[in-house]
Amino acid sequence: QVQLQESGGGLVEPGGSLRLSCVVSRRPSTFDVLGWYRQAAGAERELVARIRDGYKIDYADSVKGRFTISSDNAQRTVYLQMNSLKTEDTAVYYCRAQKQVSIEAQVDFWGQGTQVTVFS
């Protein structure tokens, strides 16, 4: 069983920064996709950033230029550096790992989430 543990959330003022970490029980290179998602109160969970095939990176339009996703295979950790935070970034942030196991099937793992609150 794969485990993902997020940390690094907290309270921050607008314009501030936080770095989220997701420790994965297997090397990040094991997975086809590693990503960060978030869910604000009353909203659906949405993609924030992801790494596909080890190097292809996607960002939500709302975070482009402010957030950076990266991974460290040796540390088994995926990071999300968040700069210039806005109140609308307030959400629970989740780490996700996906692996294609056959043409038709994939396995999907989620962490428990870490709260990020941006307040003014």
Side-chain angles (χ1 to χ4, degrees):
Q1 182 68 17
V2 174
Q3 294 181 334
L4 293 82
Q5 181 63 57
E6 303 97 335
S7 63
L11 301 174
V12 64
E13 293 183 344
S17 297
L18 285 173
R19 188 175 80 157
L20 305 184
S21 299
C22 172
V23 178
V24 188
S25 59
R26 297 183 186 175
R27 289 181 299 175
S29 58
T30 301
F31 302 97
D32 298 304
V33 184
L34 287 163
W36 286 95
Y37 289 70
R38 67 186 180 188
Q39 187 167 19
E44 294 186 353
R45 194 171 297 188
E46 63 177 4
L47 171 69
V48 176
R50 65 184 175 189
I51 304 174
R52 295 180 289 119
D53 301 326
Y55 69 98
K56 302 170 188 175
I57 295 178
D58 304 309
Y59 292 101
D61 287 342
S62 59
V63 307
K64 282 181 181 177
R66 300 188 297 123
F67 290 11
T68 303
I69 188 172
S70 61
S71 69
D72 184 326
N73 225 30
Q75 297 297 322
R76 298 188 179 188
T77 302
V78 183
Y79 300 99
L80 184 68
Q81 178 66 44
M82 306 187 295
N83 299 327
S84 302
L85 282 160
K86 304 176 181 180
T87 56
E88 52 262 45
D89 294 319
T90 296
V92 178
Y93 284 70
Y94 297 92
C95 185
R96 182 185 189 185
Q98 299 168 270
K99 182 170 179 62
Q100 200 75 26
V101 296
S102 71
I103 293 176
E104 297 179 348
Q106 69 175 24
V107 289
D108 200 358
F109 304 96
W110 291 87
Q112 293 299 306
T114 185
Q115 176 71 46
V116 172
T117 303
V118 185
F119 69 98
S120 57

